[in-house]
Every structure is written in C-alpha cells, then in structure tokens.
Amino acid sequence: MKFLSLTLASLGLASAASVANKVSKVSYDGWKVFRVNDGDTAEFQAVVDNLQLKTWKGRVGHSAVVDVVVPPTQIEAFTSSGLDTKLMHDDLGASIADETNFPVYASAKDARAPNATWFNAYHTIADHFQWLKDLSAAYPANSEIIVAGKSLEGRDIQGIHIWGSGGKGSQKGVVWHSTVHAREWITTMVNEYAAYKLLTATDTATAAYKDKYDFYIFPLVNPDGFAYTQSTDRLWRKNRQTTTSASCVGRDINRNWPIQWAATGGASTSPCAEDYKGASAGDGVETKVLKAHLDGVAAGKGVQLYMDIHSYHQLWMYPYGYTCTGTIPEAATYKTLVAGAVAAVKASHGLTYEPGPICSTIYKVTGDSVDYAYDVAKAKFSMTVEMRDTGNYGFVLPPAQIVPGVEEMWAGLSYLLANM
C-alpha cells in the first residue's frame, strides 16, 4: 500500500523522513489509527496537511476510505475536525507489542524439524533465515537454499528452490516474492507457508505441483528494511538505500523496476516519499538482485507464474499497473483464473478478495515487478495480491490472524497451480 501524504520528521516518525544516522527506536505508544470515510475531499486533505499526518491507504478503486495514523499530540485536533471517522487502533503501540512478542525458535539443531507451530507467531529476522534453512535441510532431496544476492547492508536475499521427481531445474519456474515492503510482515509468513506445504504435504495434488514446476520462493526480498522494522521503526516501508540529493533514506523496491519507470503518476520522485522510485530505473540494490534472478529463470525454462505478495486490502490483481486503459491480450484468461483463486480464498476462511487489473483496482503503479515479469521476463502469468485485512488492523495484523491468513492464501495459490 502507498501513502497519500508525507509526514514530517518533526512528529517523531522516522519512517517518513529518516536520516542515514542511527536513530532511537520509534514508539507508537498512544498513537491511534482512524478510518476516514470522506478521504477524497479537500477538507480531509487540509486536515492531513495542517496536522502533518500519515495515511495508510491511498484511494482504492472508487472508494474514498483512507486510514490515518495520528500521534497523541494531534488526537484532539483530529477528532474535532468534523471528519467522518471510525477508530481502528486505539493504541498502535499496544498492537505492535502484541506482534513483537517473539517466541524462542527451537531449530533443527535441537532435532526438531520445522513444523506448523511456526505460524502461530511472528519471528525475528535471524529466526526467519534459520527456519528456512532448517526446512530445506529436512527435505534435501527436493529443496535447497538459494541466495539471489546481497542486500545493501550485506544480508543474503535468501530463498528456497523446490522441485519434484524430474530433478531441480527441469521444469518451468514459479517465482514468488514477499516482504518487498518491509512492514508487511504477514506476507513473509505466506511464502514460508507455501514452501512448508510444498515440502511436507503428502497428497497427490501437491506432489503434482512439484513435478510440474520448479519453485523459487523468496520470503524476505527486502531484508534490510525488515530488520529496520524490528530494530527501529515497525512501520518502515522502503529499503535502506541513501540518495545523494536528500537526507531521506530508502527506495520503494516496487517502484524501481525498469518497466515504465519514467511514466508519471505511479510513483514519487521525492526521496522522502514512501513510494520513491529511485534516482534511475533499477538502481535499487535489491531490485538489481531480484531482476537478475528473475531474468535467469526466464532465460532457462521460462517463468510460468510470478507472484508478488503484499498487504493490505484483500485484492487479487494482474497487469497492468502503469496504465488504466491498456489491456493485456490474455485479460479474459486472467479474469477467469483470478476469479477461481478468489473463490478458493473465500471458501477457506470466508474473506472476500476483489479481483482486477492493478491500475483500476487499487491505483496507478509504475516500475513494478508484476508488469516487468509480464512484459519483459515473459511470465505466462504475473500477479500480485494485497492480503487481509481491509483496515481493522492494517499493517499491524495480530498473530492470531497469521494461520487463517496463510491458509487462505495457500488455497488461492493452489488453485492457480492446479488450473493455470
């Protein structure tokens, strides 16, 4: 999700205008999140600008609903502004504390192979790396850890390669990315759950997926940003790359791919913006790594399916992001396939996801990986999702929703694998 407005660092929110120097951990204690039902009005924008507030959602489709993050010092002014609001988070800091009560991970070094209890809580970045290694070590005949490259700060962009009876590299590729935007923690768990199901499930349908495709699953493609959400600012979005033109830090990796990068209206040219596109197309350290890996799969057996997992708003989308008028030739096929995936999601836990092209379903997006995978890497299918929920919790989704969240996504992904 992107932001409508820019919050100044004077509010103490480092995620909008952080400098490269180390900063103290951002506290959201006492902060509230409100849903505003008339977010497309000049009155609303005036309030946001005057109080220098950050928003959690841009205009989605034809909806004017916007979620607004309000610090304690501005709560009285905001609630007395006359806007039509609903309280979402009463204390954002308390919600974050519930998320960050990390359990101790007993790794396979203690003779415990990864199991489903992993999905009962969120975890530290170190445990995420170790868990994936332990999962692969438990199934060496069908998987291996792969490293696409290094992040800006030298962390591995680590994934897992999973294959079937034909041996590794024998089939067309399925490439899945998640945690492109660092604060979207639930998405990390989705790709880990997908890898877990592919390796542990014993049913014939799942075995058939592995026999038909080679899977390249990357749960944490923005490890520096993710680490920063755990050390400093839970709501950080971008990578941690500096720019020579400003003191602000970070590029939006999903606005930096070399596809319609120079087009206007789908990303920001301001280094301080949450959706900053970067100084040039593909100049993001992580973008280069991810692009090179995707290009490599494409140059081999080809890409059957590319997926980019995000949160939040319950949307299942496909190209294009950079234009709301252009239509892909396979639009009818995509529409049918996505409708089936959405139905499978709803059958799992009852949630409704809205299907459609990126631009008209959420907003215009330029320099995004889905359009690149479709137009350049020639993926037969290229899609993205915005996961649960629709704003009750937003980016700070309670641990109790991890299991139903990953289960419903696996239901949708399984439908694609069985029917695409």
Side-chain angles (χ1 to χ4, degrees), residues 300-420:
K301 296 293 183 178
V303 180
Q304 178 73 9
L305 172 65
Y306 173 78
M307 289 291 306
D308 189 18
I309 313 295
H310 290 265
S311 71
Y312 62 98
H313 200 66
Q314 296 172 203
L315 310 171
W316 200 301
M317 300 173 289
Y318 48 89
Y320 286 117
Y322 64 79
T323 175
C324 290
T325 56
T327 303
I328 59 175
E330 307 88 349
T333 301
Y334 269 78
K335 185 176 181 180
T336 300
L337 191 60
V338 169
V342 166
V345 168
K346 187 165 187 176
S348 176
H349 285 281
L351 293 192
T352 299
Y353 277 51
E354 180 184 347
I358 297 169
C359 188
S360 58
T361 304
I362 184 168
Y363 39 61
K364 186 176 181 180
V365 177
T366 52
D368 66 291
S369 62
V370 172
D371 287 347
Y372 181 90
Y374 174 79
D375 262 357
V376 183
K378 303 302 179 184
K380 184 171 183 180
F381 295 102
S382 184
M383 301 180 189
T384 183
V385 296
E386 294 282 356
M387 285 186 61
R388 65 167 60 199
D389 57 6
T390 57
N392 287 337
Y393 300 103
F395 298 118
V396 186
L397 197 68
Q401 293 204 29
I402 297 173
V403 170
V406 299
E407 287 179 346
E408 69 196 12
M409 281 304 304
W410 175 245
L413 293 172
S414 295
Y415 181 88
L416 295 183
L417 296 175
N419 293 279
M420 64 186 180

Side-chain angles (χ1 to χ4, degrees), residues 35-40 57-60 63-67 313 390:
R35 168 150 290 182
V36 179
N37 292 317
D38 47 4
D40 62 346
K57 262 190 344 193
R59 181 168 180 164
V60 178
S63 171
V65 172
V66 179
D67 299 334
H313 200 66
T390 57

Side-chain angles (χ1 to χ4, degrees), residues 125 151-155 222-229 239-240 286:
I125 186 170
S151 69
L152 174 73
E153 295 176 350
R155 294 181 176 88
N222 182 8
D224 295 351
F226 184 80
Y228 195 77
T229 66
N239 73 356
R240 296 294 301 158
E286 294 79 9

Side-chain angles (χ1 to χ4, degrees), residues 119 128 141 208 233 288 365 403 419:
F119 302 98
H128 278 293
D233 185 353
K288 292 176 183 177
V365 177
V403 170
N419 293 279

